[in-house]
Amino acid sequence: MSEAKRSGRQARQVERAKKGGGMGRPYITRNIPTYDVLSEENLLKVEAAADRILAETGIEFRDDPEALELWRGAGAKVDGVLVKFEPGMLREILRSAPEVFTQHARNPANSVQIGGKNVVFSPAYGSPFVMDLDRGRRFGTLEDFRNFIMLAQSSPNFHHSGGTICEPTDIAVNKRHLDMVTAHIELSDRPFMGSVTSEERAEDSIEMSRILFGREFVNDNCVILGNVNVNSPLVWDGTMTKVLRAYARANQAAVIVPFILGGAMGPVTNAGGIAQSLAETMAGCALTQLERKGAPVIFGNFLSSMSLRSGSPTFGTPEPAIGSMVIGQLARRLKLPLRCSGNFTTSKLPDAQAMMEGTMSMLAAIHCGANFILHSAGFLDGLLSMSYEKFMLDADLCGALHSYLDGVVIDDDHLGVEAFAEVGPGNHFFGCSHTMAHYETAFWDSDLSDNEPYEKWEAAGSVDAATRANGLWKRRLAEFEAPALDPGLREGLRDYVEAKKRGMADAWY
Amino acid sequence: MSEAKRSGRQARQVERAKKGGGMGRPYITRNIPTYDVLSEENLLKVEAAADRILAETGIEFRDDPEALELWRGAGAKVDGVLVKFEPGMLREILRSAPEVFTQHARNPANSVQIGGKNVVFSPAYGSPFVMDLDRGRRFGTLEDFRNFIMLAQSSPNFHHSGGTICEPTDIAVNKRHLDMVTAHIELSDRPFMGSVTSEERAEDSIEMSRILFGREFVNDNCVILGNVNVNSPLVWDGTMTKVLRAYARANQAAVIVPFILGGAMGPVTNAGGIAQSLAETMAGCALTQLERKGAPVIFGNFLSSMSLRSGSPTFGTPEPAIGSMVIGQLARRLKLPLRCSGNFTTSKLPDAQAMMEGTMSMLAAIHCGANFILHSAGFLDGLLSMSYEKFMLDADLCGALHSYLDGVVIDDDHLGVEAFAEVGPGNHFFGCSHTMAHYETAFWDSDLSDNEPYEKWEAAGSVDAATRANGLWKRRLAEFEAPALDPGLREGLRDYVEAKKRGMADAWY
């Protein structure tokens, strides 16, 4: 097949590979619209509810006098730690935030555009445990952490190295961010995330980015993300606001994420949780703009539900999935990049439940127009565990979603009316010229799915998808080669980390 | 909680239960829009391509001189068995087909509306094999067939009893339709489907419906569906056209379904397969109207893909999923009820692959606006096997999709602004009045998903979802009670079946 005949997708992949930027696309630009489920009238009702929550109940900003000072200066009503906002005030502040921004990777070919029609897949984030089929569940270590970076980097289906993929619990809490950022830089050449567990650790993460990219470049460009959680309902604690201000101050992007478990940290109704999420996220995003006007920021959210029998949190359920569509519409009305949903499940194993829940919630992210999809892969047991096998299964789903987001190409060549004249009624299309011209690029090809005849599958051992995933992650780790890194930069980073570590006793909080 | 406070959904369920119509809703009326991915301009291109295929290449109608006569009478160009259609001709004929129709169930509370905003879930259809975790794969029997009807009937998540849920291979081919229709009528009080393997068997199925509903009622109302396949590409064979005409003649609904495996029975490109599907389905649907103007008919389709490595068919892949959205748009422009997609997979087990593929393709059916969703549950191994465990897992997904299709209710009560004032920043919503008022109806509750803490799950034996499904189908079968059936009707049906069977030697084709 001549290169001229390759589809745009394939051509772009080839182009990318030539640039030495690794495999696949640096990010996806969606060729299908978002799925908008709510009418203008109902969207206005949600926005009005959020405005009332902000104006009447307000949000507490605890342990951060500077944040209160910023709010006071912006005209909010500050009473102790409680801040109330006149309707429209936050929207006005948010006008300075960029609709789309670039997060740079150390390999420029892997830099991502966040916002607009762009979609970036990033691994799951924050599990204390890891799991695999051989060893079961155990606390995550730095080795696990590094393994997951390598598995992400070696897959063409991700665009981002992520952040705290699992907690490296064998490293002191006050030092692990240094090892995590080092691992992202050394083992991946994609964009990554920094620490958010304290202002100092955020500053360390940003400082390491400055060593990698240069101080001036970092002041002018986004090179690191920090994922910051609201303490829902309606509380921002000082650790988080200091961290989000640190990222904004450095012109780096905070991801502002209320985690709302409906019925616990917010109303049990979907509409109420969405209104609350909008209120909390707007406040956090606006604070970044007060800290530094024009700093990039991502409108984040994490809707969840609960089991009515046990009160346990549930993930990958239908209400948060359809609620995500509304969140997407709200974010676009604010002209902010969106983080929403991901590959969620409460299952303890990479089984049928895991992928039923995961696929439903991941497709919600795709349909709602999420630009930065954290938790794209590995999420198990309500985010308590990072699963090696589920990571590979989810990576496969991420691959499928590339083709899904490409939509249906409609042109004379793809409609292929001439092919029918060539083939005629009752004959097959196997060898016709239209098939030959499109064969290589027509369909997504799974790394893991079994499509063989039953007898062939049986002869190969009757294995399930999780078992195949188990084999694949081991092969990928065995074959891994880290992307080249300038030795001077590597040394500079290591010097920084060593100096920081020497200056601190281990602390486990 | 007072009944007045229940949500509309719950209220409807309660209402339904009171009527004695079994569990759940008789069908779903979607409260979310369809997901329209293609522009008007591109839809016109697809329609123009279908028109060109119909006018320039044409469709063969083999072994059915009466069908050719109908086409000739309608003004088509008939040359031997090849029929060509002027652009616009089929659209004009299709104007007489109803946009929505009722398929009646023997329990009137279970009658379904097919078309418009309505969604009907029906089990998978046509597997020669069945599978379960205990006995593995084996040929289906009448006992399996009856089991699956009972499993569907005992779940609130289906609305239809389906058709050939699996092939009862222990019964002669020329007699099994009699036992299948009998089983649907005796074990279920939901609507069902009849035979399509020959004109006589279709007539038998319809005749048995007449015994059940009365001859006059059947002439005026739809009580049975027949699922009719095109012999793609561009061939309708006589068995199928005689069957579709038999259903139409009796004022019963044919479902017109091209099965297009891209690259084999149609172009390898999505756009080409969609244009072909439109052409083939329009021709089949139009033939029902020539047979009997105004007969109900369903615009069906079955897009599929293939493995680029092996040439094997693949199911539950992204291209057919996103292609379904286009099919939905095209069907709505014709104002015809739609059958599209289902819970597809090539996996041989009820594992992670099965539910990743199944959820992707089932959500495609939901998003594209399919009204009658055949293959909602049980489909395994590219439809070669009907799986007991996957049936239960898919039934659970169907339950989730009820809540998904209910969308996000936006009103003052669900927005719950007052709840924030009541709870205040930093406090939980567990016991507040808003939570108490909505708790019972807020979230879908899975029959199968494990949402317990890890330790509790481990203590319960660390079982996976498929194992839980295995337990559930056995419990459901053990507890099954058939819905009451008038003994006179039962006797009438049995007399008919016995007389028919006596009159034929067993045949195995």
Side-chain angles (χ1 to χ4, degrees), chain A residues 33 35 233 264 269 272 308-309 319 346 348 351 353 414 426-427 429 434 439 444-446 450-452 465 468, chain B residues 33 35 233 264 269 272 308-309 319 346 348 351 353 414 426-427 429 434 439 444-446 450-452 465 468:
Chain A
Y35 184 27
T269 50
L308 302 182
R309 293 179 225 188
E319 294 84 4
T346 49
K348 314 300 181 289
D351 65 351
Q353 178 190 343
H414 285 79
N427 298 312
F429 281 70
H434 187 264
Y439 186 72
W444 168 67
D445 207 5
S446 169
D450 169 72
N451 299 311
E452 298 292 347
R468 291 192 295 274
Chain B
Y35 184 27
T269 50
L308 302 182
R309 293 179 224 188
E319 294 84 5
T346 50
K348 313 302 181 287
D351 64 352
Q353 178 190 342
H414 285 79
N427 298 314
F429 280 69
H434 186 264
Y439 187 71
W444 167 68
D445 207 6
S446 168
D450 169 74
N451 299 311
E452 298 292 345
R468 291 192 295 274

Side-chain angles (χ1 to χ4, degrees), chain A residues 54 71 85-86 88-95 279 282-283 286:
Chain A
L54 289 162
W71 286 126
F85 312 85
E86 284 302 304
M89 173 191 161
L90 295 178
R91 285 169 198 282
E92 189 55 37
I93 296 171
L94 287 170
R95 289 161 59 96
M282 283 205 296

